[in-house]
Every structure is written in structure tokens, then in C-alpha cells.
């Protein structure tokens, strides 16, 4: 404990030394924030394995904010509409460095946005970090993040909130005390100074820690070291798939990478054993993470007062059906609203064997034309096509050739 306290003190001292007066401006801004709870319970939007909370700035436009317990802070992603708003708000000179899960470093500013509202709470005199996040392949725009600091603003947790996320009926509830813990499993969780939640387990005979990350829409993300340990264990179900192209989607956007994917039987201890868990590892991922595709098997109770995490089996859980793209071994995405492009491929997958290449523009699949409507809606319709059929016809454009 003494070592941990000394390490934390050194971090604070170094931070103050590096940032100077701007650091104190930052602390002053944070201390003026006031959180008002307007509703203890809300029904949230659950789309593409992401919990979305409608959020409103002074222009009264509804924007999508992600509920991301994997982020210790709140964050606004700057897009063209918000750049107009920036002219009316105070911009602090304090620039900080954000490191994404893929190790990419980015600068961010803190800005006083005034009052920001949701149907759940409002934050007065908000002092929130901003980040320009390029992502050319986004269909459902995410405009920002509500992170753990909303529920755990104090280092001493008595005034913090208890967060109940009921995946089974898409509700989120803020509590001041724990409910009855019948059927809840208390996890071996460690809450860091920044309110990251880390779960401890054993993979392939080696100890491993995983960040509990509701902002990650996938299932299980592993570093190469942890993935190799898992491969050497006995919990592998299928042969490893190798995927190349645009893969990693973190704060820095979608990046070119190589990924390795498998389905495993995952044992987290405490009686939590899940089969058919999709595990992904890439060259650049720097941390292990548990995402919403896995988390949605449970209801979630986060006690930010005493720093405990509880899980309860979700009685309404159903395994996700593979999309057409997943079954054929490639992925296609909308590109800036102009075209639907192939962005990654599975080595020796059906699509690669058929001759598709990264960058191919999809004009149609079966009787669905790419220009039949909104690109994002068309991609969704493509995904619902029967992937088991061997009679699907994909028409592509490569250069000037159809």
C-alpha cells in the first residue's frame, strides 16, 4: 500500500511540474462543476452493443453520448456542428495527452461548456475534455462520452453513486445505497485511482487483468502476450482467424492493423464460465479489455462508494447472430457517406477466396442496391442477408471495372 501511495504521489508531483499553472486552472474548473440528478432511472438506447444517452448542449440539439465506464473522464468529440459552438465557450489553455487503447497519443483541451443536460442528470458549469476523433467509417455518430467521473467524482467514495445497469430491459438507475444482493456475484475487481475497473483472472495458467469497458462494443480484447497464453491453454474452440485491413476502432479512429480472432470458453472464476466468446487480439492493442458483447450476458451493479463490482446473469441474454459479413469473412462500411467499401478481410475466408479486396466498392448484394437509400441503412440490410446461402451475388467496382 505504501508503494502504491508513493507511486501515486510521484505521478501527481510530476504532473504539476509539467503542466504548471494550467494544472491548477484545470483543478479549479473541475471543482466548480455541479451535478444535479433529475431522474434516478432512465431507459437508454442500446444500439450496436453500445449504451447511448441523449445529451443536449445550449443549442438544444440532441447528441449521442456513450456510457463508457472504461473512461475515467467525460469527453466531447469535436465535429463540425460543435466547432460552431466552440466560439461561444471559454477554452482553457491546459492541453493534456490522451493515450488510446491502441497506444496512440492525442492532445486534448478542457472547455467550459456551461450546462449540459440529459434526461438523467445535468452538469452545470461543465468543464469537459475535448478531442478531435477522425473516423471515416462511422455510421452511428458518437459525439462524446459520459465516463466514470459522473458517478465517482470523489476519491473518498461516501458521496459517490451506485450505478445499476439492467441490460435485460435497457434501464440505468442511480442509487445511494446497495439493493438486495440476491443472485448477484461480487467480482474480484480493483478500482484504480482514476476509477478504471480491473478484473483479475488466469489465462493459460498466467495471471491477467482486464479492464471493464462498456465503451468497447466487442467481446474480449487481448494483448498479444495474453492471447498467446490463451492459445496455449485448453479453452480454444476453433482455429485462429487472421484478419487484415482497417480494424482497430479506439479514440484515434479506425486504423490499419492485423488481428487474430478465436472463439473460446472463458472462465472468470466466481462461477462465471461462458462459451462461444469471441476473442480478438491485434498488434497494437496495449491493454486487455472486456466489452459490451460479453458484458451484456449480465446485469451490472457498480458500487463507486466502496469500489465493488457485482454481476447478475441476464435472463434475457441471447447470443448474437452472425451478420452476412461475419459469415463470409469480410467487413464493409460506409465511407464519408459517399460509398460502401470493403475495409478488412479474413485470410482464406469466403470473401477472399471469391476475389474481393480491401478498397472494393460494393454496388449491390443480391437485389439490394447500394444507392437504394442511406448508406448506413444499406449496410445494415446487407448484414441481415442469409450468410449460409451459397447463392449470394456481390457486385463490386474496382477502379473503372465492374
Amino acid at each position: 500500500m505504501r508503494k502504491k501511495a508513493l507511486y501515486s504521489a510521484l505521478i501527481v508531483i510530476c504532473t504539476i511540474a509539467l503542466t504548471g499553472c494550467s494544472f491548477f486552472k484545470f483543478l479549479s474548473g473541475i471543482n466548480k462543476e455541479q451535478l444535479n440528478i433529475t431522474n434516478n432511472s432512465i431507459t437508454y438506447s442500446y444500439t450496436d452493443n453500445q449504451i447511448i444517452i441523449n445529451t443536449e448542449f445550449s443549442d438544444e440539439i440532441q447528441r449521442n453520448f456513450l456510457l463508457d465506464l472504461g473512461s475515467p473522464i467525460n469527453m466531447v468529440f469535436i465535429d463540425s456542428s460543435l466547432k460552431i459552438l466552440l466560439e461561444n465557450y471559454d477554452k482553457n489553455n491546459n492541453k493534456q495527452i490522451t493515450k488510446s487503447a491502441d497506444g496512440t497519443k492525442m492532445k486534448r483541451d478542457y472547455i467550459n461548456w456551461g450546462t449540459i443536460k440529459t434526461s438523467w442528470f445535468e452538469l452545470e458549469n461543465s468543464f469537459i475534455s475535448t478531442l478531435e476523433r477522425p473516423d471515416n467509417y462511422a455510421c452511428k455518430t458518437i459525439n462524446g462520452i459520459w465516463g466514470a467521473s459522473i458517478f465517482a467524482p470523489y476519491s473518498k467514495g461516501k458521496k459517490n453513486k451506485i450505478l445499476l445497469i439492467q441490460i435485460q430491459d435497457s434501464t440505468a438507475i442511480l442509487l445511494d445505497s446497495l439493493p438486495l444482493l440476491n443472485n448477484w456475484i461480487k467480482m474480484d475487481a480493483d478500482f484504480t485511482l482514476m476509477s478504471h475497473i480491473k478484473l483479475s483472472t488466469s489465462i493459460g495458467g498466467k495471471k491477467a487483468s482486464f479492464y471493464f469497458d462498456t465503451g468497447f462494443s466487442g467481446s474480449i480484447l487481448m494483448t498479444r502476450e495474453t492471447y498467446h497464453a490463451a492459445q496455449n491453454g485448453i479453452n480454444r474452440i476453433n482455429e485462429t482467424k487472421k484478419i487484415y485491413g482497417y480494424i482497430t476502432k479506439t479514440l484515434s479512429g479506425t486504423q490499419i492493423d492485423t488481428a487474430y480472432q478465436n472463439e473460446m470458453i472463458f472462465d472468470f472464476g466466481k462461477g462465471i464460465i461462458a462459451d462461444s466468446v469471441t476473442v480478438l487480439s491485434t498488434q497494437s492493442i496495449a491493454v486487455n479489455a472486456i466489452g459490451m458483447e460479453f458484458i451484456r450476458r449480465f446485469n451490472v451493479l457498480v458500487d463507486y462508494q466502496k469500489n465493488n463490482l457485482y454481476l447478475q446473469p441476464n435472463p434475457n441474454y441471447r447470443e448474437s447472430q452472425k451478420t452476412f459479413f461475419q459469415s463470409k469473412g469480410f467487413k464493409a462500411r460506409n465511407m464519408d457517406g459517399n460509398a460502401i467499401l470493403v475495409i478488412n478481410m479474413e485470410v482464406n475466408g469466403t470473401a477472399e477466396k471469391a476475389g474481393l479486396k480491401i478498397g472494393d466498392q460494393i454496388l449491390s448484394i443480391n437485389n439490394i442496391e447500394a444507392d437504394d437509400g442511406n448508406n448506413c441503412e444499406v449496410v445494415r440490410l446487407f448484414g441481415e442477408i442469409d450468410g449460409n446461402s451459397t447463392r449470394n451475388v456481390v457486385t463490386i467496382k474496382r477502379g473503372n471495372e465492374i
Side-chain angles (χ1 to χ4, degrees):
M1 292 295 293
R2 289 182 179 178
K3 287 184 178 180
K4 184 176 182 180
L6 178 60
Y7 180 68
S8 301
L10 287 173
I11 292 176
V12 172
I13 292 170
C14 291
T15 304
I16 292 174
L18 289 171
T19 56
C21 294
S22 63
F23 181 76
F24 292 101
K25 288 182 182 179
F26 162 67
L27 290 179
S28 176
I30 290 292
N31 289 333
K32 292 178 182 178
E33 286 186 341
Q34 181 175 340
L35 178 68
N36 301 314
I37 307 299
T38 54
N39 288 296
N40 287 335
S41 175
I42 63 163
T43 299
Y44 56 79
S45 170
Y46 189 69
T47 306
D48 297 331
N49 281 341
Q50 293 181 318
I51 296 175
I52 305 299
I53 299 174
N54 287 334
T55 299
E56 185 179 291
F57 290 74
S58 62
D59 59 1
E60 299 183 350
I61 294 176
Q62 293 289 318
R63 293 181 171 87
N64 297 320
F65 267 52
L66 181 65
L67 178 60
D68 184 5
L69 302 184
S71 171
I73 63 171
N74 307 314
M75 191 176 295
V76 178
F77 297 144
I78 301 300
D79 60 18
S80 57
S81 63
L82 281 167
K83 282 182 178 178
I84 298 174
L85 277 179
L86 282 176
E87 299 174 1
N88 302 318
Y89 289 97
D90 294 330
K91 191 171 184 180
N92 188 272
N93 293 324
N94 180 49
K95 290 184 179 293
Q96 295 189 336
I97 298 294
T98 291
K99 181 180 283 190
S100 190
D102 59 0
T104 303
K105 294 181 179 180
M106 294 158 288
K107 290 183 179 180
R108 66 180 188 229
D109 292 319
Y110 279 85
I111 295 177
N112 188 338
W113 292 95
T115 298
I116 300 180
K117 300 178 181 179
T118 75
S119 60
W120 205 9
F121 55 80
E122 65 178 29
L123 190 63
E124 294 183 14
N125 197 38
S126 63
F127 196 65
I128 298 181
S129 176
T130 62
L131 186 69
E132 292 196 30
R133 184 183 70 152
D135 191 352
N136 295 329
Y137 301 102
C139 266
K140 185 165 183 62
T141 301
I142 302 297
N143 303 106
I145 287 173
W146 289 119
S149 60
I150 281 289
F151 316 106
Y154 305 104
S155 57
K156 294 183 178 180
K158 292 182 180 179
K159 294 182 180 180
N160 290 342
K161 290 294 182 180
I162 296 171
L163 174 63
L164 171 60
I165 305 176
Q166 295 187 154
I167 304 293
Q168 66 188 64
D169 60 4
S170 297
T171 59
I173 304 170
L174 288 176
L175 304 169
D176 291 317
S177 59
L178 282 173
L180 292 176
L181 295 175
N182 297 338
N183 301 320
W184 287 94
I185 303 168
K186 185 179 178 181
M187 304 301 297
D188 292 328
D190 177 34
F191 285 62
T192 70
L193 292 173
M194 298 293 287
S195 295
H196 287 118
I197 305 172
K198 294 170 70 177
L199 298 178
S200 299
T201 187
S202 177
I203 301 292
K206 295 184 178 181
K207 292 183 179 179
S209 295
F210 287 79
Y211 284 91
F212 191 80
D213 189 359
T214 60
F216 169 46
S217 62
S219 182
I220 303 289
L221 201 61
M222 290 184 181
T223 64
R224 296 297 293 140
E225 180 182 4
T226 305
Y227 187 78
H228 282 310
Q231 292 291 86
N232 294 331
I234 59 173
N235 55 357
R236 184 173 55 183
I237 296 177
N238 297 317
E239 291 300 316
T240 299
K241 296 178 181 178
K242 184 177 180 180
I243 304 167
Y244 59 94
Y246 290 87
I247 298 169
T248 307
K249 186 175 181 182
T250 62
L251 288 180
S252 56
T254 307
Q255 305 292 332
I256 294 178
D257 208 337
T258 299
Y260 301 87
Q261 180 179 301
N262 211 320
E263 287 189 357
M264 297 182 180
I265 299 171
F266 214 73
D267 185 352
F268 254 108
K270 300 287 186 177
I272 295 181
I273 301 175
D275 57 7
S276 301
V277 177
T278 300
V279 176
L280 186 74
S281 179
T282 76
Q283 305 284 5
S284 59
I285 288 299
V287 297
N288 299 316
I290 303 169
M292 282 303 299
E293 176 64 27
F294 183 85
I295 294 171
R296 70 186 187 87
R297 297 168 184 254
F298 309 94
N299 295 317
V300 177
L301 183 63
V302 189
D303 181 359
Y304 283 110
Q305 295 175 355
K306 296 184 177 179
N307 286 348
N308 290 317
L309 173 69
Y310 302 85
L311 298 180
Q312 180 189 66
N314 172 10
N316 293 338
Y317 171 74
R318 298 291 182 273
E319 188 175 339
S320 297
Q321 298 297 311
K322 286 187 176 181
T323 66
F324 171 78
F325 302 117
Q326 290 171 330
S327 63
K328 299 303 183 185
F330 75 110
K331 182 177 286 186
R333 283 291 181 267
N334 167 54
M335 176 63 173
D336 288 338
N338 297 320
I340 298 173
L341 303 181
V342 176
I343 65 170
N344 68 42
M345 304 281 292
E346 175 191 329
V347 173
N348 293 324
T350 304
E352 188 184 65
K353 290 179 179 178
L356 265 69
K357 293 183 179 180
I358 293 174
D360 285 347
Q361 179 181 345
I362 297 182
L363 301 182
S364 67
I365 303 180
N366 296 349
N367 296 320
I368 303 174
E369 302 288 335
D371 58 2
D372 278 351
N374 176 275
N375 277 3
C376 292
E377 176 63 14
V378 172
V379 170
R380 185 187 67 79
L381 293 175
F382 284 164
E384 293 179 349
I385 292 173
D386 181 10
N388 295 318
S389 172
T390 58
R391 297 179 178 274
N392 296 299
V393 178
V394 181
T395 305
I396 65 167
K397 182 178 181 181
R398 184 181 301 158
N400 295 322
E401 184 183 0
I402 303 297

